[in-house]
Amino acid sequence: MSKSPITSPLSEADKASVGAVLQATLVDLIDLSLSAKQAHWNVVGKNFRSVHLQLDELVTTARTYTDEVAERASALGISPNGKAKTVAESSGVPEFPENWLKEEDVVAAVVVALAKLIERLRARIDETDKSDLVTQDLLIEITKQLEQAHWMWQAQQS
């Protein structure tokens, strides 16, 4: 079924632009949750436990907002696509290193990933300023939470 069974309150042009924003946000959040889980399994070092637990918090945040973004898309009649192939092909989150990583390397990689995602989200906030304030509000909420996480990860680098 290609035509949406869900009607949208948005014009077709706004629906298309908001749909692109939501889809891009969806894949970025899925990738963030997967990267944080990868790090969670592979972090080592003297501060292993605290970083390990903080990664779980980041995964929870990313997964919570993944669902909210996908449901927002669905509510607008936009079919969300969170398939692995789609995420791999279109995520803007930097690729996370493989293998065992010292906690300071994990922290550095998370800081870079969050900074990139926040940059992308802030651009999307601007993109939705005229087309859909409800979606913009969701993006602002996500950005707020990720900026707080970014601060907490950065604080470990001093």
Side-chain angles (χ1 to χ4, degrees):
M1 171 183 288
S2 60
K3 186 171 176 353
S4 174
I6 310 300
T7 59
S8 178
L10 303 178
S11 69
E12 285 302 312
D14 286 347
K15 181 179 168 185
S17 68
V18 170
V21 163
L22 288 168
Q23 180 60 38
T25 303
L26 178 69
V27 298
D28 284 355
L29 289 169
I30 291 170
D31 197 12
L32 177 64
S33 72
L34 294 171
S35 294
K37 213 31 139 162
Q38 176 70 20
H40 171 87
W41 297 322
N42 287 284
V43 64
V44 296
K46 62 183 178 175
N47 294 315
F48 156 81
R49 182 159 171 73
S50 63
V51 173
H52 182 80
L53 294 174
Q54 192 175 9
L55 286 162
D56 269 342
E57 293 172 5
L58 186 57
V59 169
T60 298
T61 298
R63 286 181 178 167
T64 296
Y65 287 116
T66 294
D67 197 48
E68 289 193 29
V69 166
E71 288 181 357
R72 178 69 188 149
S74 294
L76 295 174
I78 301 158
S79 175
N81 182 344
K83 297 186 296 184
K85 181 179 179 180
T86 304
V87 173
E89 291 174 349
S90 58
S91 173
V93 175
E95 188 172 342
F96 203 84
E98 294 183 23
N99 299 314
W100 302 109
L101 292 170
K102 299 281 271 173
E103 74 273 2
E104 60 266 15
D105 296 329
V106 169
V107 169
V110 171
V111 166
V112 168
L114 286 172
K116 184 63 176 175
L117 184 48
I118 290 164
E119 175 187 320
R120 291 167 61 82
L121 281 164
R122 284 187 162 272
R124 293 174 192 148
I125 288 169
D126 289 343
E127 288 178 48
T128 55
D129 187 49
K130 302 286 187 226
S131 55
D132 185 26
L133 295 178
V134 178
T135 295
Q136 184 187 54
D137 187 51
L138 175 58
L139 297 174
I140 290 168
E141 179 183 339
I142 295 166
T143 303
K144 176 186 168 211
Q145 292 301 316
L146 293 181
E147 285 178 348
Q148 182 180 36
H150 188 238
W151 153 57
M152 292 185 178
W153 284 96
Q154 285 183 89
Q156 296 177 69
Q157 291 185 305
S158 55

